[in-house]
Amino acid sequence: MKTCRECQQQVEEGARKCPHCGAQYPDHPKDGWGFEYKDKNTLFGLPIVHISFKYRPNGTPVPARGIVSIGQFGIGVINISQFGIGVISVSQFSISVFALSQFAIAYSGIAQIGVFVQEGVGQFVTYFEDLAKYF
């Protein structure tokens, strides 16, 4: 048993909702749980490195936003993530200028399945220009 962070009543460890007050994930800290590192040095208002495998108390993930972003969700110049947006992106799902992804929408890159503007290599790849003919 653990203590609910909101009402201080006893709840089961790992409970999704407090039976007393209804708080989601009552045994997790107020600021969420997981791992997050954010570099104190910034460039253009973004941390140089932001690594986030963290979740908010309501269960939504905290995206990594930085020059170098690493996490489940990432937005950055150089991005390594499951779902990413960046200039250079290594992701499972990617929207970027240069992509190395399983699924990509990019200017150029390598993907298993992708839509590319300039150049693309992969198993099922098409060019945006060819796709635009159908619309």
Side-chain angles (χ1 to χ4, degrees), residues 45-121:
L46 294 170
I48 302 295
V49 177
H50 187 189
I51 301 169
S52 180
F53 292 97
K54 186 174 181 175
Y55 293 86
R56 294 184 178 99
N58 66 2
T60 59
V62 175
R65 293 186 184 115
I67 302 301
V68 176
S69 59
I70 301 170
Q72 184 177 3
F73 295 89
I75 301 166
V77 177
I78 299 171
N79 176 54
I80 301 168
S81 64
Q82 184 176 7
F83 301 94
I85 299 172
V87 176
I88 299 170
S89 187
V90 178
S91 302
Q92 184 175 6
F93 300 94
S94 176
I95 298 173
S96 63
V97 177
F98 301 102
L100 176 58
S101 301
Q102 186 173 11
F103 302 98
I105 298 172
Y107 179 77
S108 180
I110 301 170
Q112 185 177 7
I113 298 172
V115 176
F116 296 99
V117 174
Q118 176 64 33
E119 181 180 6
V121 177

Side-chain angles (χ1 to χ4, degrees), residues 1-2 10-16 19 26-27:
M1 296 294 278
K2 293 258 187 160
Q10 292 294 305
V11 295
E12 287 186 38
E13 186 173 342
R16 289 182 161 256
D27 63 335

Side-chain angles (χ1 to χ4, degrees), residues 3-9 23-31 57-58:
T3 303
C4 172
R5 69 173 181 282
E6 299 293 330
C7 68
Q8 308 306 313
Q9 297 289 323
Q24 291 188 338
Y25 301 100
D27 63 335
H28 294 161
K30 275 191 185 239
D31 70 337
N58 66 2

